[in-house]
Amino acid sequence: MSSAVQNLAISLGVMQVARRIPFDNPQVLLGVRIAYVVTQVVVLGIYYQISNKIKAKNDQTVLKYVEPAGPMSQEQGKLITITVRDYDLAETSKLLRGVYIGIAMMVVMHGYFQYTQPLFIQALMGLKGLYDSKLVAIYILGKAAEGDYERPFKTAAMFGVQSGPQTDAASIAEAEKRAGKKED
């Protein structure tokens, strides 16, 4: 089952559980708030630790791949040449940005609109995000960067078909030819 389908199933299940939680009880609400804050601090702390490990390792191995064009774009993919260190830092930055956006949404939803169920759901989804992160698997759990964890990371679509950067030699050669023609 793909990550997106898992997230949807977990969200729907957690929403059913959240309906049974008495959020009108101040003690329960305080507990959920604390759980949410602790979860976000743990997630940010782990991503900070990963960032430090990436910088300490300083892997200068060069990655070459063709970044696919947008789904509605008529353009062809763009050739990307980057080091493993810079790629991993960019991926960590994307993960951090997602956490920050989630926190900002919670501030608005809970702080302004007084919704309480999303606090509970997002506390669990933050942990699910850590579980799904390939960088956590590589840098925290010590998994080898091969197979599903090979860079550049592929993303699973809704129904299990993986998509993402093209790493085959033919695609890279074609993109290099296009880049060479544009420079002339």
Side-chain angles (χ1 to χ4, degrees):
M1 182 174 353
S2 76
S3 179
V5 173
Q6 278 182 340
N7 285 345
L8 181 63
I10 289 171
S11 293
L12 292 174
V14 170
M15 283 174 24
Q16 295 305 313
V17 171
R19 287 184 180 178
R20 291 175 173 67
I21 296 174
F23 289 109
D24 52 346
N25 181 339
Q27 295 294 81
V28 171
L29 184 57
L30 178 64
V32 171
R33 286 176 177 158
I34 290 170
Y36 175 77
V37 169
V38 167
T39 300
Q40 299 312 310
V41 168
V42 166
V43 169
L44 290 172
I46 288 175
Y47 289 154
Y48 177 74
Q49 182 181 6
I50 289 171
S51 179
N52 285 339
K53 285 185 175 191
I54 292 168
K55 291 173 186 172
K57 190 173 180 182
N58 198 22
D59 188 347
Q60 294 298 313
T61 306
V62 175
L63 284 175
K64 268 189 175 183
Y65 60 92
V66 179
E67 186 71 36
M72 299 298 178
S73 174
Q74 296 297 327
E75 296 179 17
Q76 296 194 1
K78 185 172 115 180
L79 178 67
I80 305 290
T81 304
I82 191 170
T83 63
V84 168
R85 175 188 188 272
D86 293 339
Y87 179 81
D88 286 355
L89 286 173
E91 290 297 310
T92 305
S93 179
K94 287 180 194 174
L95 293 171
L96 282 169
R97 201 168 328 136
V99 173
Y100 293 144
I101 289 170
I103 290 171
M105 287 174 46
M106 269 311 109
V107 166
V108 171
M109 290 177 69
H110 183 65
Y112 185 73
F113 293 115
Q114 302 296 312
Y115 292 129
T116 53
Q117 287 183 354
L119 281 175
F120 178 72
I121 295 166
Q122 285 306 115
L124 295 177
M125 294 309 288
L127 296 175
K128 172 77 167 79
L130 281 177
Y131 175 77
D132 288 341
S133 173
K134 293 179 181 180
L135 291 173
V136 169
I138 293 169
Y139 287 100
I140 303 296
L141 302 177
K143 296 201 176 184
E146 52 192 30
D148 287 344
Y149 304 109
E150 187 174 7
R151 294 172 191 90
F153 302 134
K154 300 213 182 301
T155 54
M158 186 66 148
F159 297 106
V161 178
Q162 291 209 340
S163 65
Q166 298 170 322
T167 57
D168 60 289
S171 297
I172 292 172
E174 177 66 28
E176 285 175 338
K177 278 186 203 175
R178 284 194 314 266
K181 287 180 183 176
K182 287 181 183 176
E183 289 174 6
D184 291 342

